[in-house]
């Protein structure tokens, strides 16, 4: 730990700087720790010259803590005048003072603020100095602590200043307003797009959305040093790719922004304020070019409005949808071109011998029409996120009083509501859009043609919103039982099921014979009616033995009701003979009933009997697992624990837990992953697999690559609301099993095939998480188990 | 003379070529070999390491330390001191850049270990300053692991 003599009481300004940083970068933490009530705070990708991870490191170093939550608590205490005996280095106070001085000088020069580059450089200077103040550590070559002094090798920030064509003021305002939805979407989603497709494509999208034509950027790279020039050329290529795939939208955007010329500016000698520069490219630390979106007052307002209106949910949804949109933009050129062609034909038919504007509108209509069926199909898969994202966009439209969006939204909404049903509503909407818009083409004046066209781009989003509202009920009702795995708990129905004996024809167990099952079903809150009971067997075996389930009258003819005061209990037997040797007989009883609070309430419970030596190459026999549930492979961000796709699926903050868990490894050693910049990385990052039950929820001590071994319990810990972790060792093997119910085996020798415990019920998320280490190094568990 | 040259032109040509080759080889043989530029050895730096510095929670206490260097290292030149003493084995990955120190027994919880490493690269460059790494493992008390595939 650092020498306390280097620390002093922090200045009020510095504490405020740290406090504001937590609010900007970690709004959730800020809300909780700073007790900010119900305020919904915006999330910033870059703030005060810092990027998020840089601020995290800065805050942890400043407070001497291990997590942002602890850092926030320390900052809160400082702010309240407590815990002043252990505070931050002088250098940090100096840094804040320098930042403020910089700001003041900028203002005196008539500038609004220091450029992002300048702020960032100052922040890095301070960070480096604060690092030096710490105790000696091994000297990793870390981008975060690169010497910021200028050198021929230093990567420069590149700014883009755009000059627009002279035009009528009203025309400019209208153009900017109607292109707002798209720009809003991309700005809000920029962090997620960057995480998903990388900084360079995300930057390309941002520039494209701001109507910067690639041809205006071509040839500009000659002014840059070679390293930057190469990156810049790649960026231009990426923009070209988007332009060729989205030619119509490109034309609309470029017509809206009417950019006459683009000037490249090298930081920090630009001499311009951030507000005067469209955007800055950060040094490509991760191999790409990342943009800091222009944070104008207007842009911040949009961001804040979106966040305030829909909060965390909208933010997540917008990110999710835009991430997919970003990926689609990269790979959908052919389909879009075909759609536009078809649209031109529709337009020609609808518009007749009209002006070129009408033909363009026709193309839009055709494109929309060709896309809506695809949109519907895609919506079915992504309705939840898309719907909320669309709501956010519509809200932005409302907020900024965009009449085109409102008219389109209300009109399509009425039509769609009348039509009813997802598919029919979609098709009706598509037809209606064609009809209505074909009608208005004749009335359009050229002066408003472009704004209308831009608004039309947003129509699919509005259609999606309406479809989502119509069908939202489908996503609110509980999912069907088949979509759930393993034991299902219900607040209304209680089930207990036991098998006796739990094993036979193996050491310590009786021979073949009858297994007696006892079932108890009770009402938890009120009388259950309309009861149905189902019992399903699963035989996990190397062979496929014949099996005839027993007939149980109590299951076939359930009672008319079950009251809270009297449980429904019954017993039945299953005779197990040699034909079921070396098997696991697992059966699951499922009860459906109407309860006072819910019709069709559902609960299930399993019991298993081990016969002989069944195959236990998987700790969860009979479980299912797909490659996306397996381990991370560096460079493959589309699946596997810890990949960019994984974090997108998990929602919330990326990199928030170690993978493997309890290994203090928060990121891979390779670049390109959303967690690459974490302070603690390892070459076994993401080595874990998940297995989902297909009926059996009993967990067994497994063999290792088919070899029987003897395990012993080593320890464990709680996963709070996600069950418990149990660790078992056999020689140099360590097996970490997570999401088990309390009470799993903890004593003595445990042989392969022996029952360890039961999965912790998590509804549709019920699964077993497996990690495995051999001789001190984590390995990919799917190479050893369940394959 | 003209007739002679015309009749034996191919023989003369062959002899000329032969003589040229012979002269070339002779000159080349007498030339001293061109001094090749002395390759500048690549400096050896520590790029990454695992586990991180300081106190941390670890679920599996038998864990190999991993040090990633900027160039392949020669593990036979490694001088490693671990305090308090633990037995260990050294190995490298396929690229030779990652040095693994695998303890022969579990690390003890709540014990501060200090590791000092000096090592040379395969090119013979030694670390300018020894790596000094200290860590202390704590048992995991509670995990925030909340992965949810149902989102």
């Amino acid at each position: 730990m650092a020498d306390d003599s280097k620390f002093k009481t922090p200045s009020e300004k510095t504490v405020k700087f740290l406090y504001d940083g937590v609010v900007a970068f970690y709004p959730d933490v800020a809300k909780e720790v700073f007790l900010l009530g119900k305020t919904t705070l915006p999330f910033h990708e870059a703030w005060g010259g810092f990027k998020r991870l840089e601020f995290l490191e800065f805050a942890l170093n400043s407070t001497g803590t291990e997590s942002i939550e602890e850092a926030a608590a320390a900052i809160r205490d400082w702010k309240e005048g407590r815990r002043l005996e252990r505070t931050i280095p002088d250098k940090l106070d100096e840094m804040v003072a320098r930042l403020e001085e910089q700001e003041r000088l900028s203002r005196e020069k008539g500038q609004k603020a220091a450029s992002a580059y300048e702020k960032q450089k100052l922040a890095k200077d301070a960070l480096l100095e604060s690092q030096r103040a710490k105790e000696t550590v091994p000297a990793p070559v870390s981008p975060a602590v690169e010497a910021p002094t200028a050198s021929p090798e230093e990567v420069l920030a590149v700014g883009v200043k755009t000059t627009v064509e002279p035009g009528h003021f009203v025309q400019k305002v209208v153009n900017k307003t109607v292109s707002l939805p798209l720009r809003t979407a991309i700005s809000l989603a920029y962090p997620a797009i960057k995480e998903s497709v990388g900084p360079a494509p995300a930057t390309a999208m941002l520039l494209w959305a701001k109507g910067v034509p690639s041809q205006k950027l071509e040839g500009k790279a000659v002014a840059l040093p070679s390293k930057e020039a190469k990156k810049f050329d790649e960026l231009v290529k990426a923009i070209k790719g988007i332009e060729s795939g989205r030619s119509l939208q490109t034309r609309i955007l470029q017509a809206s922004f009417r950019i006459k010329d683009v000037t490249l500016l090298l930081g920090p000698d630009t001499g311009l304020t951030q507000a005067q520069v469209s955007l800055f490219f950060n040094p490509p630390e991760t191999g790409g070019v990342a943009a800091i979106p222009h944070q104008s007052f207007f842009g911040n307002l949009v961001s804040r409005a979106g966040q305030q209106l829909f909060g965390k949910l909208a933010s997540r949804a917008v990110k999710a949808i835009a991430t997919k949109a970003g990926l689609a933009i990269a790979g959908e050129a052919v389909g879009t071109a075909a759609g536009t062609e078809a649209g031109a034909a529709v337009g020609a038919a609808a518009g007749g011998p009209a002006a070129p504007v009408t033909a363009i509108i026709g193309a839009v209509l055709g494109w929309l029409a060709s896309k809506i069926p695809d949109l519907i199909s895609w919506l079915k898969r992504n309705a939840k996120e898309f719907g909320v994202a669309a709501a956010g966009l519509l809200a932005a439209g409302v907020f900024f009083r965009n009449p085109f969006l409102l008219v389109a939204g209300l009109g399509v909404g009425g039509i769609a509501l009348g039509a009813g049903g997802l598919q029919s509503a979609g098709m009706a909407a598509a037809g209606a859009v064609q009809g209505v818009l074909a009608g208005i083409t004749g009335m359009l004046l050229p002066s408003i043609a472009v704004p209308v066209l831009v608004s039309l781009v947003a129509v699919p989003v509005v259609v999606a919103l309406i479809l989502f509202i119509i069908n939202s009920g489908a996503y609110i009702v509980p999912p069907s039982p088949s979509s759930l795995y393993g034991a299902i708990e219900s607040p209304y129905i209680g089930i207990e099921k036991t098998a006796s004996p739990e094993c036979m024809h193996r050491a310590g167990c009786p021979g073949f014979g009858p297994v007696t099952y006892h079932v108890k079903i009770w009402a938890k809150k009120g009388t259950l009616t309309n009861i149905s009971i189902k019992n399903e067997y699963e035989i996990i075996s190397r062979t496929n033995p014949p099996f005839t389930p027993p007939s149980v009258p109590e299951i076939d003819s359930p009672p008319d009701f079950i009251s809270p005061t009297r449980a429904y209990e019954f017993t039945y037997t299953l005779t197990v003979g040699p034909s079921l040797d070396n098997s696991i007989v697992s059966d699951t009883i499922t009860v459906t009933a109407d309860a006072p609070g819910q019709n069709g309430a559902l609960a299930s419970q399993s019991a298993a009997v081990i016969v002989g030596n069944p195959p236990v190459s998987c700790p969860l026999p009979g479980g299912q697992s797909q490659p996306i549930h397996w381990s991370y492979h560096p460079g493959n961000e589309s699946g596997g624990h810890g990949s960019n796709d994984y974090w997108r699926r998990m929602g919330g903050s990326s990199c928030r837990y170690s993978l493997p868990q309890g290994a203090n490894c928060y990121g891979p050693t390779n670049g390109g992953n959303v967690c690459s910049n974490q302070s603690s990385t390892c070459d076994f990052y993401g080595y874990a697999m998940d297995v989902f039950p297909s009926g059996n929820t009993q967990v067994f001590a497994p063999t290792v690559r088919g070899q029987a071994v003897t395990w012993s319990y080593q320890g464990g810990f709680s996963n709070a609301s996600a069950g418990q972790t149990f660790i078992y060792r056999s020689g140099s093997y360590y097996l970490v099993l997570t999401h088990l119910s309390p009470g799993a085996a903890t004593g003595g020798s445990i042989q392969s095939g022996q029952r360890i415990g039961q999965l912790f019920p998590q509804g549709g998320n019920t699964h077993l998480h497996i990690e495995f280490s051999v001789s001190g190094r984590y390995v990919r568990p799917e190479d050893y188990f369940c394959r | 003379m003209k007739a002679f040259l015309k009749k034996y032109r191919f023989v003369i040509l062959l002899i000329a070529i032969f003589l040229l080759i012979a002269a070339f080889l002779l000159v080349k043989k007498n030339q001293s070999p061109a001094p090749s530029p002395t390759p500048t050895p690549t400096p050896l730096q520590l790029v990454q390491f695992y586990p991180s510095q300081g106190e941390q929670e670890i679920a599996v206490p038998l864990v190999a330390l991993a040090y990633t260097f900027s160039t392949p290292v020669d593990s036979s030149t490694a001088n490693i001191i671990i305090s308090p003493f633990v037995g260990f084995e050294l190995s490298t990955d396929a690229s030779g850049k990652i040095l693994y120190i695998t303890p022969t027994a579990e690390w003890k919880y709540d014990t501060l270990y200090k590791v000092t490493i000096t090592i040379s690269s395969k090119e013979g460059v030694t670390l300018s300053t020894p790596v000094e790494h200290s860590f202390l493992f704590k048992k995991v008390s509670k995990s925030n692991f909340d992965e949810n595939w149902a989102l």
Side-chain angles (χ1 to χ4, degrees):
Chain A
M1 299 299 286
D3 177 3
D4 279 0
S5 65
K6 291 173 183 163
F7 292 85
K8 67 159 199 166
T9 304
S11 75
E12 194 177 314
K13 285 175 184 172
T14 302
V15 174
K16 183 175 184 308
F17 185 85
L18 288 165
Y19 181 92
D20 290 346
V22 174
V23 172
F25 286 114
Y26 297 93
D28 293 343
V29 174
K31 277 175 73 175
E32 190 173 325
V33 179
F34 299 158
L35 303 176
L36 295 182
K38 291 183 178 177
T39 312
T40 305
L41 301 164
F43 167 82
H44 288 265
E45 176 72 6
W47 172 88
F50 279 93
K51 286 186 288 180
R52 187 168 177 243
L53 290 178
E54 288 172 345
F55 178 81
L56 176 64
E57 189 173 356
F58 178 40
L60 299 187
N61 285 337
S62 307
T63 53
T65 52
E66 300 286 330
S67 69
I68 190 63
E69 289 82 6
E70 291 174 23
I75 294 163
R76 179 200 58 208
D77 290 349
W78 287 339
K79 202 170 165 58
E80 293 169 0
R82 289 182 280 133
R83 280 170 56 167
L84 294 174
E85 72 283 0
R86 170 70 173 79
T87 57
I88 54 184
D90 293 352
K91 294 292 177 192
L92 300 182
D93 269 355
E94 287 173 19
M95 184 210 74
V96 174
R98 281 159 62 193
L99 279 174
E100 292 193 346
E101 178 65 9
Q102 186 72 28
E103 292 275 355
R104 190 182 63 77
L105 288 173
S106 296
R107 279 197 298 275
E108 282 178 8
K109 287 178 190 170
Q111 297 168 342
K112 289 179 183 172
S115 74
Y117 181 89
E118 289 161 344
K119 282 183 176 178
Q120 193 164 333
K121 196 164 167 54
L122 274 171
K124 281 194 172 176
D125 277 341
L127 192 63
L128 186 75
E129 286 168 12
S130 73
Q131 291 279 333
R132 286 183 192 136
K134 294 196 306 179
E135 68 178 344
T136 306
V137 296
V141 180
S142 161
V145 293
E146 274 177 0
T149 50
S151 74
E153 285 302 303
E154 186 185 15
V155 181
L156 294 172
V158 181
V160 170
K161 184 189 177 192
T162 51
T163 316
V164 295
E165 290 275 3
H168 194 274
F169 173 74
V170 176
Q171 176 78 38
K172 282 184 193 172
V173 171
V174 171
N175 286 348
K176 280 210 163 191
T177 305
V178 295
S179 61
L180 186 69
L182 183 61
R183 287 186 291 124
T184 305
I186 292 181
S187 291
L188 284 175
Y190 176 77
I193 297 173
K194 195 176 96 179
E195 278 180 16
S196 180
V197 300
T203 303
M205 278 190 68
L206 198 65
L207 279 171
W208 173 77
K210 284 174 174 283
V212 177
S214 63
Q215 67 187 57
K216 300 277 185 193
L217 296 170
E218 276 181 329
K220 302 281 183 189
V222 292
L224 300 172
S226 60
K227 201 182 280 182
E228 285 81 358
K230 194 177 167 199
K231 294 289 175 197
F232 194 83
D233 280 337
E234 287 170 5
L235 182 70
V236 175
K237 277 184 196 165
I239 299 172
K240 270 188 174 175
I242 300 172
E243 287 174 348
S244 63
R246 303 262 157 162
S247 56
L248 185 65
Q249 295 95 320
T250 303
R251 273 154 49 202
I252 293 166
L253 283 168
Q254 291 181 359
S256 292
F257 286 95
R258 295 152 55 92
I259 288 172
K260 182 186 175 189
D261 198 14
V262 173
T263 313
L264 291 195
L265 305 156
L266 299 184
D269 300 316
T270 60
L272 291 177
T273 64
Q274 190 183 354
Q276 291 172 292
V277 178
S278 290
L279 50 86
F280 266 87
F281 302 154
N282 281 330
E285 289 163 353
T286 54
V289 183
I292 300 174
H294 169 45
Q295 289 294 314
S296 64
F297 171 76
F298 195 59
N300 272 328
L301 199 63
V302 172
S303 174
R304 190 171 281 269
Q307 299 268 1
Q308 293 279 356
L309 283 170
F310 292 94
K312 196 175 169 184
L313 183 63
S315 170
R316 229 169 69 188
V318 170
K319 282 177 189 173
I321 185 85
T323 302
K324 288 170 187 170
L327 290 167
I329 280 172
E332 209 194 344
V334 176
T336 307
T340 308
E341 250 182 52
V346 175
V357 168
T358 313
I360 294 171
I361 292 173
V364 176
L365 299 178
W367 179 79
L368 289 175
S370 71
K371 277 292 169 191
I372 283 178
D374 289 345
L375 175 70
I376 289 167
S377 144
W378 183 72
L379 256 177
K380 283 181 176 175
R381 300 191 301 274
N382 302 281
K384 207 168 178 178
E385 304 120 23
F386 198 100
V388 183
L393 291 175
L394 183 65
V398 172
F399 187 78
F400 290 100
R401 294 178 174 75
N402 181 336
F404 302 105
L405 263 182
L406 288 175
V407 169
L410 293 173
V412 175
I415 294 160
L417 280 167
L422 184 63
Q423 190 73 26
S424 58
M427 295 315 293
V433 170
Q434 279 188 59
V436 171
L437 295 179
I440 62 171
T441 53
M443 303 185 295
L444 281 175
L445 296 172
S447 61
I448 62 162
V450 171
V452 171
L453 282 173
V454 178
S455 280
L456 294 183
V457 175
V459 169
V461 176
V462 181
V463 173
L465 169 67
I466 303 304
L467 296 179
F468 171 74
I469 292 168
I470 295 166
N471 291 276
S472 58
Y475 301 97
I476 295 166
V477 298
S480 65
S482 60
S483 70
L484 300 177
Y485 293 113
I488 302 168
E489 286 202 338
S490 163
Y492 303 101
I493 307 170
I495 306 181
E496 213 173 73
K497 179 169 186 175
T498 56
S500 179
E502 288 186 331
C503 61
M504 54 179 52
H505 196 228
R506 54 186 280 140
C509 307
F512 295 119
V515 176
T516 303
Y517 291 93
H518 179 79
V519 178
K520 179 179 175 184
I521 302 167
W522 69 97
K524 287 183 176 177
K525 287 189 177 172
T527 302
L528 302 174
T529 56
N530 198 17
I531 300 162
S532 69
I533 305 175
K534 191 171 65 174
N535 200 27
E536 290 175 309
Y537 286 87
E538 184 186 17
I539 311 298
I540 299 160
S541 171
R542 293 183 188 85
T543 59
N544 187 20
F547 179 76
T548 308
S551 174
V552 185
E554 290 86 349
I555 290 176
D556 297 337
S557 305
D560 292 335
F561 64 92
I562 299 175
S563 75
T565 53
R566 188 172 176 185
Y568 180 56
E569 293 185 70
F570 57 92
T571 301
Y572 64 96
T573 57
L574 168 72
T575 303
V576 174
S579 65
L580 288 174
D581 198 9
N582 303 326
S583 301
I584 295 173
V585 180
S586 170
D587 70 310
T588 304
I589 191 158
T590 305
V591 177
T592 312
D594 291 343
Q598 184 185 3
N599 285 340
L602 179 127
S604 74
Q605 193 58 260
S606 300
V609 179
I610 312 162
V611 187
N613 295 300
V616 280
S617 64
C618 187
L620 183 67
Q624 297 173 344
S625 187
Q626 300 294 324
I628 60 164
H629 306 124
W630 297 350
S631 299
Y632 177 68
H633 283 265
N636 179 3
E637 302 301 339
S638 60
H641 280 83
S643 65
N644 291 347
D645 177 70
Y646 171 88
W647 287 115
R648 185 184 61 76
R649 286 171 187 272
M650 293 305 123
S653 304
S654 300
C655 326
R656 63 181 178 273
Y657 46 74
S658 167
L659 282 168
Q661 67 156 334
N664 193 32
C665 176
Y666 288 84
T669 52
N670 54 285
N673 181 282
V674 65
C675 304
S676 294
N677 290 329
Q678 292 293 306
S679 57
S680 180
T681 59
C682 65
D683 58 353
F684 50 80
Y685 170 72
Y687 281 14
M689 85 178 292
D690 288 335
V691 187
F692 294 81
S694 59
N696 168 54
T697 57
Q698 311 290 314
V699 178
F700 295 83
T703 55
V704 179
R705 284 186 167 161
Q707 297 296 312
V709 295
T710 302
W711 300 96
S712 61
Y713 175 71
Q714 287 292 297
F717 48 87
S718 164
N719 295 95
S721 60
Q724 293 198 342
T725 293
F726 291 80
I727 304 169
Y728 299 93
R729 180 182 182 181
S730 178
S732 63
Y733 298 147
Y734 284 81
L735 177 66
V736 182
L737 301 174
T738 300
H739 305 315
L740 268 64
S741 292
T746 56
S749 297
I750 304 165
Q751 306 296 326
S752 292
Q754 194 172 329
R755 182 181 177 278
I756 287 178
Q758 180 146 16
L759 281 183
F760 184 78
Q762 298 189 80
N765 186 41
T766 300
H767 70 274
L768 180 66
H769 179 89
I770 306 170
E771 292 160 2
F772 190 53
S773 119
V774 179
S775 300
R777 301 205 53 216
Y778 280 94
V779 292
R780 295 189 172 97
E782 62 270 23
D783 292 342
Y784 292 80
F785 306 107
C786 309
R787 293 288 298 278
Chain B
M1 186 64 180
K2 269 190 177 176
F4 175 82
L5 287 174
K6 191 175 181 183
K7 187 175 181 181
Y8 294 104
R9 62 182 187 277
F10 290 111
V11 176
I12 294 167
L13 189 65
L14 278 174
I15 292 169
I17 291 170
F18 175 77
L19 288 175
L20 276 172
I21 293 170
F24 175 75
L25 290 175
L26 196 67
V27 170
K28 189 165 174 60
K29 190 180 176 184
N30 289 337
Q31 276 181 344
S32 57
S36 58
T38 310
T40 311
T42 315
L44 181 62
Q45 286 179 299
L46 180 66
V47 179
Q48 282 165 332
F49 59 95
Y50 176 87
S52 58
Q53 185 88 348
E55 186 179 309
Q56 58 212 282
E57 290 191 335
I58 289 284
V60 173
L62 184 67
V63 58
L65 314 179
Y67 300 88
T68 306
F69 293 93
S70 53
T71 58
V73 291
D74 181 358
S75 60
S76 67
T77 64
N79 183 10
I80 291 162
I81 302 165
I82 301 179
S83 172
F85 174 80
V86 292
F88 61 85
E89 290 172 1
L90 277 186
S91 59
T92 57
D93 74 330
S95 73
K97 290 183 178 179
I98 306 178
L99 177 74
Y100 295 110
I101 301 176
T102 308
T104 51
E106 293 180 347
W107 301 103
K108 287 178 184 163
Y109 285 116
D110 301 313
T111 299
L112 179 67
Y113 287 95
K114 289 186 179 174
V115 183
T116 308
I117 303 171
T118 53
I119 196 167
S120 298
S121 71
K122 286 190 173 168
E123 292 178 335
V125 181
T126 306
L127 272 178
S128 54
T129 53
V131 169
E132 291 181 355
H133 179 203
S134 57
F135 57 87
L136 183 148
F137 291 151
K138 307 282 284 184
K139 277 190 177 177
V140 179
S141 53
K142 187 178 176 182
S143 170
N144 66 340
F145 183 66
D146 62 349
E147 69 175 6
N148 189 348
W149 292 95
L151 284 178

